[in-house]
Amino acid sequence: MDVMIRQPTLFLTVGLPCTGKTTAARRIEVEHQALRLTKDEWVKALYGDENPDASQRVIEGRLIDIGLRALELGTNVVIDYGLWSRDERSALRQAAADIGATVEMRYFELPATEQRRRLDQRQAEAPHTTWPMSDEELVEWAAAIEIPTPAELDGTEPIDAPPPGFATWDEWRTHRWPPTVS
């Protein structure tokens, strides 16, 4: 008897805070029977009102490892955090390709005033789901994000080579998302 194995998909949500990534990730989770990995939920569960910088990358890395294993097992996965750098996205695109998964990238953006309104609304209605963010931080983050190109979004753009000093994207991934808090 032939068993049809479906090619799993890695969904990447890209964008600044309060632009709709988690709402979309929840929709993808249901519509595509995907394992949703939302970093903020894990940080909140582990640290409450704290948002320690040292643990951010480790939690992201652990979630990525879980997601890659789920892809290997044939399960769709949605990574729900900003993925602001092209290197992060390239590393994940390569990891998915290495295990035979496809990638769908979704970019979310809003005018700064709408982003601020949504953040204020979230703080008022569900403060347990987020942290306070200043206007200065929002401006700083908007300047830091590397907006995906149309070809990166539709998957037609080749994956970049790893940054100088890294032989492979796996090596870069381990550096970017270390296995432990040091």
Side-chain angles (χ1 to χ4, degrees), residues 19-39:
T19 56
K21 294 182 309 297
T22 299
T23 299
R26 288 184 179 128
R27 191 170 36 256
I28 291 166
E29 174 184 31
V30 171
E31 292 173 359
H32 298 276
Q33 299 178 337
L35 173 64
R36 179 176 55 88
L37 299 170
T38 300
K39 177 187 71 172

Side-chain angles (χ1 to χ4, degrees), residues 7-8 67-73 93-102:
Q7 185 178 32
L68 293 175
R69 180 64 183 133
L71 289 169
E72 287 176 337
L73 295 171
R93 288 175 64 204
Q94 186 63 61
D98 289 346
I99 56 179
T102 62

